[in-house]
Each structure stands twice: as C-alpha cells, then as structure tokens.
Amino acid sequence: MPTTLIRNGTVITATEIMDADVLIDGEKIVGIAAPGAHGWKADNVIDAKGKYVFPGGIDVHTHMELPFGGTLASDDFESGTRAAAWGGTTTIIDFAVQAFGEQVMDGYEAWMEKAEGNCAIDYGFHMIVGDVTDQALKEMDILMGEGVTSFKLFTAYPGVLYSDDGKVFRAMQKAAENGGTIMMHAENGMVIDVLREQALQRGETDPIHHAITRPPVTEAEATHRVLAYAELAGCPVYVVHMSAKEAVAEVAMARDRGQNAFGETCPQYLFLDWDNLREPDFGGAKYVCSTPVRDRDQGHQDALWRYLATNDLQVVSTDHCPFCMNDHPKLGRQKRLGEGDFTKIPNGLPGVEDRMRMIYHGAVGEGRLSLNRFVEVTATTPAKMFGLFPQKGTIAVGTDADIVIFDPKATHVMSVGSSHMDVDYNAYEGKKVQGDIDLVMARGKVLISDGEYHGSKGDGRFLKRGTCQLLV
Ligand code: URP
Ligand code: ZN
Ligand code: ZN
C-alpha cells in the first residue's frame, strides 16, 4: 500500500492537542512530527491546514439487520457500515443474537455470516444472551476465545429477550470467572408491561405513551438492581443507552464506591425529547426507542451532558436500529406497524452516520465538553472499554490509520437527503451543526474525500477483541 502524509493539521487525541504532520505507511501510522520538521516524502499528501485530525469514531452499539418488533432493522451490514464511514465512524461493534430457545454459538455464527465480506469498516461483535442456560454459559467461554468478550442481557422486553434476576446473576458470575463484560439493558420490563397494558385500556395509543409508560424510575430501579448484582458477582458492568438522570446517578454512586461500573448514552437522549414524540400524524413514532427519550423539562439532557463531562458517563454510542416510516422497498412502512397501538412500534432509530457531527456540535460547538473529551467519549474510551486500544481509538505511532479530518469552520445541515443510511428519515432533520467531515480514512485507505465514497464492500475486517481495559 502507498504512503500518505497528512500535513499541517491539528491532531487531537484524548490527552493532546498538537500541530503535527502524520505519516502513514500501508495500514498504520508510522510517524508524528512537528509540521515540516522532518524529511518525509509520501506517495499521497493531504493538506489539513486549519482542520482537526481526529481518531476515527468507534460506535460500540449498532444493530444492523436486527430482527425486532416483527420486522428487520433496515440497514444491513453493507449499507450501515458505509453510512458509518460517511459519518466519520471507522469501527463498529454490533450485537449477535441468541434468541430464546436457540444456541449462543448458532446466533454468533449467523451474525458472522451476515457481516463477513459486506462491511465497509472494521467490526466486532458483542453477544446478546437471550436464553441463559447451562449450555449458553459454557458457550460464553468459547466466545471469549473468539474475541467476543462482552455479553448483553435485558431486564426489559418480557417474553422476547428478557432475563429474570437469577439468569442475569448467573451470566454475571460467568463473566466474573472468564473476564467478560456484562452489558445491561436496564429497565423494569415487568412493571413497564403493566403500565403499557393500562395505557392501552384507557385508549392511550399515541407514540408519546411509549415514553410515559417507561418512567425514569423503571430505568433507575433496574440500573440499581443490576449494579448490585454485578458488585456481588464481581464482574464489570456497562449499562447501555442510558437516558434518565436518576439511573446515571446510580452508576455514579457505584463508581464512587470503586465498582467497575460504566454507562453509555446516545445522541437521541442528548438532543431529542417529548416534543419530538408528540409530532403530529404519527410522526412521533420516528423517535420511539428504549430506553425512551425523556421530558426535557425534567432536566435529563442537561444532566447527561454534565455526567459526560464528569466521566460518570463514559461513552456516546448510537444504538443505531433504523426502521422506515413510509418507504422501504423490501421492508415497507415499518414504524406504522404501531399506528393505533404504540406498543407495536418497532423500537429504535437511525444514528450511525449522525453521531460524530451531532456530538461534536453539542460538545465542542456549544461548549459543553473539550475537544479532548469529545475524542475520549466517541473513540478512545469505547476502544478501551471493549479491548481495542491502542490499535483503535487514538492517533499514535503503531496504531491503525483510522483518521477523520474535520473542518471546524464548516457547517452541515442534518437531513435525510444528504445521508446514506437505508432509512427514510433523519432524526435531526434540518438541524444546522457546527463543523463538518472532510475526509475519512480507515486503515490507511481513504474512504471519503471531496464528497465521494472511495471504499468497497468488504474493506472492513472482523476484530477479535481483548477484555475491558478500564478496570480498577
Ligand atoms: O430501542 C432500541 N433500543 N432498539 C434496539 C434494541 C435495544 O434494546 O438496544
Ligand atoms: Zn437495549
Ligand atoms: Zn441496542
């Protein structure tokens, strides 16, 4: 592969801001030096004057072609990873699924097959354990050897992916033994089911009732409970897609006690609220996801940003799980499955292409987080959390040349027309954000430049991951 020199940019890592030239040989970064203070020659020279040079984004929570809610997430591995690249994300970790009554390894192999040869960027898997049996626990050990070192369990979705407390605890004991990380979807699914049923009986069928029937206490209670079980079992626990400030307070308290407890939030919880869910003509369905977006008046968004600043939340992922409103050639009017009954709206929204722009805007553009912290929550900590650092998540000699050149003076308008996800709406339609992506490189190959995609299906490789690198 040719050599590339990125000249005159400002390189941003989680800890440094430096005017520097970056030399890339093949797939790796081989040199970083003060601008011009070297005799480097390269086949390709990219001028990054006035631009930031970020590590490629790492999105550790995506669901390409997930079967869910009676349909299938509309992005497959090909379209979803290509869209990720357009948005400055160069690595994803998706979720393989063991459905109830099936074997863990069968689910893992099925997802490996879906992804192999189709991804534009590097990818790994977490494993959803939907049926904690003796056999499933044994297969968790096998997966650790395959580089699948994190396992998601649900206290939500009774009858679908739900595990009772005993099952959650058994999986946690297994993780404590084999070095894995437990990821928790923490909502009290049993109580939520009662509230949903009662709402439907009262004729409350609109999308807003999805959020009303999942109040913050159902997230906070489940978070408290799974943190307690993880402490008892002695495993690291990572609570996914957190939206309620009361729930994050539980993670903060656990961390203060010295527990290996971690929390993730997503752009939808930092930017969307009940006004979106109340959009007329069933428009609110576009924003139905679980945990739900929260009522802005209750201060959740401000609290989540503060928790990101204080490292009580460590990661911003997307939980990318798109479903079309009106118009998918194969999958049809997916969100409309829930017209007249909000409990039937497929849960999830698109975001893999939007995350880096939206978080840069809210964090740096609007002055909530530093440049270093932006890199930390979107790339460096995700890499450390899931055993990919330093190959991924930073800019240093010897790391993969996964790089985003970002123009802080440009602006971008979020819109379905300019995005590449296989879905018929953008959750942030019309929002003007500060900064824009100029160039995206993955393992030394330019995937995006001058508004063109230069990658190919199959550029991405499977990543065998190590264990969590943030343990105390
Ligand atoms: O609404 C969501 N979050 N859909 C995806 C599945 C999950 O729970 O992560
Ligand atoms: Zn979940
Ligand atoms: Zn998810």
Side-chain angles (χ1 to χ4, degrees), residues 61 63 95 152 241 319:
H61 191 149
H63 299 284
F95 289 83
K152 184 179 178 191
H241 48 50
D319 195 10

Side-chain angles (χ1 to χ4, degrees), residues 144-194:
M144 290 295 294
E146 299 282 315
V148 175
T149 56
S150 37
F151 305 91
K152 184 179 178 191
L153 287 109
F154 296 73
T155 60
Y157 310 139
V160 189
L161 292 167
Y162 173 86
S163 290
D164 66 26
D165 291 359
K167 289 185 174 184
V168 168
F169 185 62
R170 287 191 79 198
M172 287 177 166
Q173 286 180 317
K174 172 52 78 180
E177 186 191 305
N178 69 17
T181 296
I182 294 294
M183 306 172 78
M184 287 303 317
H185 179 140
E187 289 184 292
N188 189 319
M190 290 297 187
V191 168
I192 288 168
D193 268 7
V194 173

Side-chain angles (χ1 to χ4, degrees), residues 61 63 66 68 95 128 152 154 156-157 161 185 187 210 240-241 264 268-269 288-292 318-321 323 335 346-349:
H61 191 149
H63 299 284
L66 176 74
F68 200 58
F95 289 83
I128 287 177
K152 184 179 178 191
F154 296 73
Y157 310 139
L161 292 167
H185 179 140
E187 289 184 292
H210 172 77
V240 297
H241 48 50
E264 159 200 275
Q268 52 270 34
Y269 306 124
V288 165
C289 58
S290 298
T291 63
T318 60
D319 195 10
H320 176 76
C321 192
F323 299 102
K335 287 280 187 183
N347 284 201
L349 48 76

Side-chain angles (χ1 to χ4, degrees), residues 266-277 279 286-289 292-296 301 349-350 358 427-429:
C266 310
Q268 52 270 34
Y269 306 124
L270 295 164
F271 292 97
L272 302 177
D273 60 32
W274 283 16
D275 288 348
N276 300 96
L277 283 172
E279 273 183 22
K286 291 182 282 189
Y287 315 100
V288 165
C289 58
V293 303
R294 301 283 176 197
D295 181 2
R296 188 186 295 251
Q301 286 186 3
L349 48 76
M358 290 297 291
Y428 312 100
E429 189 67 38

